[in-house]
């Protein structure tokens, strides 16, 4: 059975916890002393230590997918998959270290049809409890009437 995001969040609220910790982890800004064997290990390990520190004092945690997807832009192109793996490992660490804290995947996208279904597939593979999605409307095609 899946986790109920609202129930998890409301339970945190009853404890007076209202802060959302954003994990916009930029691997370039991780201190040298926190770096591990490779970029995936570095990001996942850094996030894991943050989760240990905030698990008892936060309402929710929200990694921003763009920072993990952008790993190839900030390191080496061959590290492209490392960001995806680090993001998934972050949610796994959240479930292990702070199982009562709901995790939100900050996953801003705006598209239609089959492309959007691909985004949904990616997001569901992260095992987040909720997804924050911002629809971007542009003035072209069938979206013109909605803008």
């Amino acid at each position: 059975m899946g986790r109920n995001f609202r129930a998890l969040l409301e339970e945190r609220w009853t404890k007076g916890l209202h802060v959302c910790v954003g994990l916009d982890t930029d691997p370039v800004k991780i201190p040298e002393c926190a770096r591990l064997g490779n970029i995936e290990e570095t990001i996942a390990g850094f996030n894991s230590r943050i989760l240990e520190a905030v698990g008892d004092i936060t309402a929710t945690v929200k990694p921003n997918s763009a920072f993990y997807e952008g790993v190839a832009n900030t390191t080496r192109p061959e590290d492209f998959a490392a960001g995806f793996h680090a993001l998934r490992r972050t949610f796994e660490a959240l479930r292990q270290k702070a199982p009562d804290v709901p995790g939100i995947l900050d996953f801003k996208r705006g598209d239609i049809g089959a492309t959007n279904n691909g985004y949904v597939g990616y997001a569901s593979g992260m095992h987040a409890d909720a997804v924050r999605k911002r629809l971007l409307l542009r003035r072209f095609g069938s979206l013109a009437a909605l803008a």
Side-chain angles (χ1 to χ4, degrees):
M1 179 176 213
R3 291 162 39 108
N4 183 312
F5 174 76
R6 184 177 182 122
L8 288 168
L9 187 58
E10 287 180 352
E11 178 61 27
R12 303 302 285 176
W13 290 344
T14 64
K15 296 176 180 179
L17 304 172
H18 302 281
V19 172
C20 175
V21 173
L23 287 176
D24 301 354
T25 308
D26 183 343
V28 173
K29 295 180 180 177
I30 295 175
E32 193 63 40
C33 63
R35 294 180 186 272
L36 302 172
N38 60 46
I39 194 68
E40 177 186 338
E41 291 293 327
T42 296
I43 295 169
F46 185 74
N47 287 349
S48 181
R49 288 188 293 282
I50 291 172
L51 294 172
E52 287 174 8
V54 304
D56 292 338
I57 60 172
T58 188
T60 187
V61 173
K62 181 182 61 72
N64 185 327
S65 182
F67 284 84
Y68 302 86
E69 293 173 51
V71 165
N73 294 330
T74 58
T75 60
R76 303 172 308 149
E78 53 270 23
D79 289 334
F80 181 74
F84 292 100
H85 294 297
L87 180 57
R88 184 175 179 119
R89 288 178 58 188
T90 297
F91 279 106
E92 290 169 355
L94 176 63
R95 297 261 176 110
Q96 292 171 356
K97 297 179 182 302
D100 297 330
V101 176
I104 302 170
L105 176 61
D106 190 348
F107 191 71
K108 297 176 212 66
R109 296 290 197 269
D111 216 326
I112 58 174
T115 305
N116 194 55
N117 291 337
Y119 295 145
V120 171
Y122 166 76
S124 65
M126 286 297 144
H127 300 285
D129 297 306
V131 173
R132 178 178 179 262
K133 181 182 179 299
R134 183 181 72 185
L135 179 60
L136 303 173
L137 298 179
R138 294 187 175 91
R139 292 195 159 283
F140 63 89
S142 62
L143 296 180
L146 301 174

Coordinates of all heavy atoms in Angstrom, one line a residue, residues 107-120 133-144 146:
F107 N 9.2 19.0 -9.4 CA 9.3 18.5 -10.8 C 8.6 19.4 -11.7 O 7.6 19.0 -12.3 CB 8.7 17.1 -10.7 CG 9.0 16.2 -12.0 CD1 10.3 15.8 -12.3 CD2 8.0 15.9 -12.8 CE1 10.5 15.0 -13.4 CE2 8.2 15.1 -13.9 CZ 9.5 14.7 -14.2
K108 N 9.0 20.6 -11.9 CA 8.3 21.6 -12.7 C 8.4 21.2 -14.2 O 9.5 21.1 -14.7 CB 8.8 23.0 -12.5 CG 8.6 23.5 -11.1 CD 9.3 24.8 -11.0 CE 9.9 25.1 -9.6 NZ 10.9 24.3 -9.1
R109 N 7.3 20.9 -14.8 CA 7.2 20.6 -16.2 C 6.0 21.2 -16.8 O 5.0 21.5 -16.1 CB 7.1 19.1 -16.4 CG 8.3 18.3 -15.9 CD 9.5 18.5 -16.9 NE 10.6 17.6 -16.7 CZ 11.6 17.7 -15.9 NH1 11.7 18.7 -15.1 NH2 12.5 16.7 -15.9
G110 N 6.0 21.3 -18.1 CA 4.8 21.8 -18.8 C 4.8 21.2 -20.2 O 5.6 21.7 -21.0
D111 N 4.0 20.3 -20.4 CA 3.9 19.7 -21.8 C 2.6 19.0 -22.0 O 1.7 19.1 -21.1 CB 5.1 18.7 -21.9 CG 5.7 18.7 -23.3 OD1 4.9 18.9 -24.3 OD2 6.9 18.5 -23.5
I112 N 2.4 18.4 -23.1 CA 1.2 17.7 -23.4 C 1.4 16.3 -23.9 O 2.6 16.0 -24.3 CB 0.3 18.5 -24.4 CG1 1.1 18.7 -25.7 CG2 -0.1 19.8 -23.8 CD1 0.3 19.3 -26.8
G113 N 0.4 15.5 -23.9 CA 0.4 14.2 -24.6 C 1.5 13.2 -24.1 O 1.8 13.1 -23.0
A114 N 2.1 12.5 -25.1 CA 3.0 11.4 -24.8 C 4.3 12.0 -24.0 O 4.8 11.3 -23.2 CB 3.4 10.7 -26.1
T115 N 4.7 13.2 -24.3 CA 5.9 13.7 -23.7 C 5.6 13.9 -22.2 O 6.4 13.5 -21.3 CB 6.3 15.1 -24.3 OG1 6.4 14.9 -25.7 CG2 7.5 15.6 -23.6
N116 N 4.4 14.4 -21.8 CA 4.1 14.5 -20.4 C 4.0 13.2 -19.7 O 4.4 13.0 -18.6 CB 2.7 15.3 -20.3 CG 2.5 15.7 -18.9 OD1 3.4 16.4 -18.3 ND2 1.4 15.4 -18.3
N117 N 3.5 12.1 -20.5 CA 3.5 10.8 -19.9 C 4.9 10.3 -19.5 O 5.1 9.6 -18.6 CB 2.8 9.8 -20.8 CG 1.3 10.1 -21.0 OD1 0.7 10.7 -20.1 ND2 0.7 9.7 -22.1
G118 N 5.8 10.7 -20.3 CA 7.2 10.4 -20.0 C 7.7 11.0 -18.7 O 8.4 10.4 -17.9
Y119 N 7.3 12.3 -18.5 CA 7.6 12.9 -17.3 C 7.0 12.2 -16.1 O 7.6 12.0 -15.0 CB 7.2 14.4 -17.3 CG 7.8 15.3 -18.3 CD1 7.1 16.3 -18.9 CD2 9.2 15.1 -18.6 CE1 7.7 17.1 -19.8 CE2 9.8 16.0 -19.5 CZ 9.0 17.0 -20.1 OH 9.6 17.8 -21.0
V120 N 5.7 11.8 -16.3 CA 5.0 11.1 -15.2 C 5.7 9.8 -14.9 O 5.9 9.4 -13.7 CB 3.6 10.8 -15.6 CG1 2.9 9.9 -14.6 CG2 2.8 12.2 -15.7
K133 N 4.2 20.3 -9.6 CA 4.3 20.5 -11.1 C 3.7 21.8 -11.4 O 2.6 22.1 -11.0 CB 3.6 19.4 -11.8 CG 3.6 19.5 -13.3 CD 2.8 18.4 -14.0 CE 2.9 18.5 -15.4 NZ 2.3 19.7 -16.0
R134 N 4.4 22.6 -12.2 CA 3.9 23.9 -12.6 C 3.7 23.8 -14.1 O 4.6 23.6 -14.9 CB 5.0 25.0 -12.3 CG 4.5 26.4 -12.7 CD 5.5 27.4 -12.3 NE 6.6 27.2 -13.3 CZ 7.7 27.9 -13.3 NH1 8.0 28.7 -12.3 NH2 8.6 27.7 -14.2
L135 N 2.5 24.1 -14.5 CA 2.2 24.0 -16.0 C 2.6 25.4 -16.6 O 2.2 26.4 -16.1 CB 0.7 23.8 -16.2 CG 0.2 23.8 -17.6 CD1 0.9 22.6 -18.4 CD2 -1.3 23.6 -17.6
L136 N 3.3 25.3 -17.6 CA 3.8 26.5 -18.4 C 2.9 26.6 -19.7 O 2.9 25.7 -20.5 CB 5.2 26.3 -18.8 CG 6.2 26.1 -17.6 CD1 7.6 25.9 -18.1 CD2 6.2 27.3 -16.7
L137 N 2.1 27.6 -19.7 CA 1.3 27.8 -20.9 C 2.0 28.8 -21.9 O 2.5 29.8 -21.5 CB -0.1 28.4 -20.5 CG -0.9 27.5 -19.6 CD1 -2.2 28.2 -19.2 CD2 -1.2 26.2 -20.2
R138 N 2.0 28.4 -23.1 CA 2.6 29.2 -24.1 C 1.6 29.5 -25.2 O 0.6 28.8 -25.4 CB 3.8 28.5 -24.7 CG 4.9 28.3 -23.7 CD 6.2 27.7 -24.4 NE 7.3 27.6 -23.5 CZ 7.5 26.6 -22.7 NH1 6.8 25.5 -22.8 NH2 8.5 26.6 -21.9
R139 N 1.8 30.6 -25.9 CA 0.9 31.0 -26.9 C 1.2 30.4 -28.3 O 1.7 31.0 -29.2 CB 0.9 32.6 -27.1 CG 0.4 33.3 -25.9 CD 0.2 34.7 -26.3 NE -0.8 35.4 -25.5 CZ -2.1 35.2 -25.5 NH1 -2.6 34.4 -26.3 NH2 -2.9 35.9 -24.7
F140 N 0.9 29.1 -28.4 CA 1.0 28.4 -29.6 C 0.0 27.2 -29.7 O -0.4 26.7 -28.6 CB 2.4 27.9 -29.9 CG 3.0 26.9 -28.9 CD1 2.8 25.6 -29.1 CD2 3.6 27.3 -27.8 CE1 3.2 24.7 -28.2 CE2 4.1 26.4 -26.9 CZ 3.9 25.1 -27.1
G141 N -0.4 26.9 -30.8 CA -1.2 25.7 -31.0 C -2.5 25.8 -30.1 O -3.1 26.8 -29.9
S142 N -2.8 24.6 -29.6 CA -4.1 24.5 -28.8 C -4.0 25.2 -27.5 O -5.1 25.3 -26.8 CB -4.5 23.0 -28.7 OG -3.5 22.4 -27.9
L143 N -2.9 25.6 -27.0 CA -2.8 26.2 -25.7 C -3.0 27.7 -25.8 O -3.2 28.3 -24.7 CB -1.4 26.0 -25.1 CG -1.0 24.5 -24.8 CD1 0.4 24.5 -24.2 CD2 -2.0 23.9 -23.9
A144 N -3.1 28.3 -27.0 CA -3.3 29.7 -27.1 C -4.6 30.2 -26.4 O -4.6 31.2 -25.8 CB -3.4 30.1 -28.6
L146 N -5.9 29.0 -23.7 CA -5.8 28.9 -22.3 C -4.9 30.0 -21.7 O -4.9 30.2 -20.5 CB -5.2 27.5 -21.9 CG -6.1 26.3 -22.4 CD1 -5.3 25.0 -22.1 CD2 -7.4 26.3 -21.7

